[in-house]
Short mmCIF file of all heavy atoms in Angstrom, two decimals:
data_model
loop_
_atom_site.label_atom_id
_atom_site.label_comp_id
_atom_site.label_asym_id
_atom_site.label_seq_id
_atom_site.Cartn_x
_atom_site.Cartn_y
_atom_site.Cartn_z
N SER A 358 19.36 -3.50 15.42
CA SER A 358 18.68 -4.70 14.96
C SER A 358 19.41 -6.02 15.42
O SER A 358 20.61 -6.10 15.54
CB SER A 358 18.49 -4.75 13.47
OG SER A 358 17.92 -5.97 13.01
N ILE A 359 18.49 -7.04 15.75
CA ILE A 359 19.15 -8.30 15.94
C ILE A 359 19.86 -8.80 14.75
O ILE A 359 19.57 -8.44 13.56
CB ILE A 359 17.99 -9.44 16.31
CG1 ILE A 359 17.00 -9.46 15.16
CG2 ILE A 359 17.36 -9.04 17.59
CD1 ILE A 359 15.97 -10.57 15.30
N ARG A 360 20.84 -9.64 14.96
CA ARG A 360 21.63 -10.20 13.84
C ARG A 360 21.21 -11.68 13.51
O ARG A 360 20.57 -12.32 14.31
CB ARG A 360 23.11 -10.14 14.15
CG ARG A 360 23.63 -8.65 14.32
CD ARG A 360 25.06 -8.73 14.83
NE ARG A 360 25.30 -9.42 15.98
CZ ARG A 360 26.46 -9.81 16.53
NH1 ARG A 360 27.61 -9.50 15.86
NH2 ARG A 360 26.52 -10.46 17.68
N VAL A 361 21.69 -12.18 12.38
CA VAL A 361 21.39 -13.47 12.01
C VAL A 361 22.29 -14.42 12.87
O VAL A 361 23.43 -14.17 13.19
CB VAL A 361 21.76 -13.72 10.53
CG1 VAL A 361 21.54 -15.17 10.07
CG2 VAL A 361 20.89 -12.82 9.60
N TRP A 362 21.69 -15.59 13.28
CA TRP A 362 22.37 -16.55 14.02
C TRP A 362 23.58 -17.07 13.10
O TRP A 362 23.43 -17.37 11.96
CB TRP A 362 21.47 -17.80 14.34
CG TRP A 362 22.20 -18.94 14.96
CD1 TRP A 362 22.90 -18.87 16.16
CD2 TRP A 362 22.29 -20.26 14.47
NE1 TRP A 362 23.46 -20.15 16.38
CE2 TRP A 362 23.00 -21.00 15.40
CE3 TRP A 362 21.69 -20.93 13.34
CZ2 TRP A 362 23.25 -22.42 15.23
CZ3 TRP A 362 21.94 -22.31 13.20
CH2 TRP A 362 22.76 -22.95 14.13
N PRO A 363 24.81 -17.05 13.66
CA PRO A 363 25.98 -17.31 12.81
C PRO A 363 25.93 -18.60 12.09
O PRO A 363 26.37 -18.69 10.92
CB PRO A 363 27.15 -17.41 13.86
CG PRO A 363 26.69 -16.53 14.91
CD PRO A 363 25.25 -16.70 15.07
N GLY A 364 25.22 -19.61 12.59
CA GLY A 364 25.11 -20.88 11.94
C GLY A 364 24.16 -20.83 10.70
O GLY A 364 24.32 -21.74 9.81
N ALA A 365 23.39 -19.77 10.62
CA ALA A 365 22.53 -19.57 9.50
C ALA A 365 23.15 -18.77 8.35
O ALA A 365 22.52 -18.56 7.30
CB ALA A 365 21.15 -19.07 9.92
N LEU A 366 24.30 -18.26 8.57
CA LEU A 366 24.96 -17.27 7.62
C LEU A 366 25.20 -17.98 6.27
O LEU A 366 25.00 -17.35 5.25
CB LEU A 366 26.26 -16.76 8.18
CG LEU A 366 26.05 -15.63 9.24
CD1 LEU A 366 27.42 -15.20 9.89
CD2 LEU A 366 25.36 -14.46 8.75
N PRO A 367 25.65 -19.22 6.19
CA PRO A 367 25.76 -19.82 4.84
C PRO A 367 24.48 -19.82 4.04
O PRO A 367 24.48 -19.63 2.85
CB PRO A 367 26.22 -21.24 5.15
CG PRO A 367 26.99 -21.13 6.50
CD PRO A 367 26.15 -20.15 7.25
N MET A 368 23.40 -20.11 4.77
CA MET A 368 22.02 -20.10 4.07
C MET A 368 21.65 -18.73 3.60
O MET A 368 21.16 -18.52 2.50
CB MET A 368 20.89 -20.60 5.03
CG MET A 368 19.56 -20.76 4.39
SD MET A 368 18.33 -21.26 5.60
CE MET A 368 19.07 -22.79 6.13
N VAL A 369 22.00 -17.68 4.44
CA VAL A 369 21.75 -16.19 4.08
C VAL A 369 22.63 -15.95 2.81
O VAL A 369 22.19 -15.22 1.91
CB VAL A 369 21.99 -15.34 5.23
CG1 VAL A 369 21.87 -13.85 4.75
CG2 VAL A 369 21.07 -15.66 6.38
N LEU A 370 23.87 -16.43 2.89
CA LEU A 370 24.79 -16.11 1.77
C LEU A 370 24.27 -16.69 0.49
O LEU A 370 24.43 -15.99 -0.59
CB LEU A 370 26.22 -16.64 2.07
CG LEU A 370 27.28 -16.50 1.03
CD1 LEU A 370 27.50 -15.04 0.71
CD2 LEU A 370 28.51 -17.17 1.48
N LYS A 371 23.74 -17.92 0.54
CA LYS A 371 23.23 -18.60 -0.69
C LYS A 371 22.08 -17.76 -1.22
O LYS A 371 21.89 -17.62 -2.45
CB LYS A 371 22.77 -20.01 -0.33
CG LYS A 371 22.30 -20.74 -1.52
CD LYS A 371 21.95 -22.21 -1.06
CE LYS A 371 21.44 -23.01 -2.36
NZ LYS A 371 21.09 -24.39 -1.90
N HIS A 372 21.30 -17.23 -0.34
CA HIS A 372 20.04 -16.48 -0.78
C HIS A 372 20.40 -15.02 -1.16
O HIS A 372 19.71 -14.50 -2.14
CB HIS A 372 19.00 -16.39 0.35
CG HIS A 372 17.70 -15.86 -0.06
ND1 HIS A 372 16.87 -16.61 -0.89
CD2 HIS A 372 17.13 -14.69 0.24
CE1 HIS A 372 15.71 -15.81 -1.05
NE2 HIS A 372 15.87 -14.73 -0.43
N CYS A 373 21.42 -14.41 -0.64
CA CYS A 373 21.67 -13.02 -0.81
C CYS A 373 23.02 -12.75 -1.60
O CYS A 373 23.49 -11.56 -1.71
CB CYS A 373 21.75 -12.28 0.45
SG CYS A 373 20.21 -12.39 1.45
N CYS A 374 23.68 -13.80 -2.16
CA CYS A 374 25.02 -13.57 -2.71
C CYS A 374 24.96 -12.72 -3.91
O CYS A 374 26.07 -12.08 -4.31
CB CYS A 374 25.59 -14.96 -3.07
SG CYS A 374 24.62 -15.90 -4.27
N SER A 375 23.81 -12.51 -4.57
CA SER A 375 23.80 -11.63 -5.76
C SER A 375 23.87 -10.14 -5.40
O SER A 375 24.03 -9.31 -6.19
CB SER A 375 22.55 -11.86 -6.61
OG SER A 375 21.37 -11.73 -5.75
N SER A 376 23.83 -9.85 -4.03
CA SER A 376 24.06 -8.47 -3.57
C SER A 376 25.19 -8.44 -2.60
O SER A 376 25.03 -8.50 -1.33
CB SER A 376 22.79 -8.04 -2.89
OG SER A 376 22.88 -6.67 -2.28
N PRO A 377 26.37 -8.43 -3.10
CA PRO A 377 27.63 -8.49 -2.22
C PRO A 377 27.66 -7.30 -1.20
O PRO A 377 28.16 -7.48 -0.09
CB PRO A 377 28.78 -8.39 -3.08
CG PRO A 377 28.20 -7.89 -4.42
CD PRO A 377 26.88 -8.32 -4.49
N ARG A 378 27.10 -6.14 -1.53
CA ARG A 378 27.10 -5.07 -0.61
C ARG A 378 26.16 -5.40 0.61
O ARG A 378 26.60 -5.05 1.78
CB ARG A 378 26.44 -3.84 -1.22
CG ARG A 378 27.52 -3.04 -2.07
CD ARG A 378 26.99 -1.65 -2.42
NE ARG A 378 28.04 -0.79 -2.70
CZ ARG A 378 27.93 0.58 -2.73
NH1 ARG A 378 26.76 1.16 -2.49
NH2 ARG A 378 28.97 1.35 -3.03
#
Side-chain angles (χ1 to χ4, degrees):
S358 171
I359 57 172
R360 297 175 300 169
V361 178
W362 174 58
L366 285 174
M368 184 183 301
V369 174
L370 177 61
K371 182 176 181 179
H372 188 69
C373 302
C374 62
S375 54
S376 177
R378 278 194 159 196

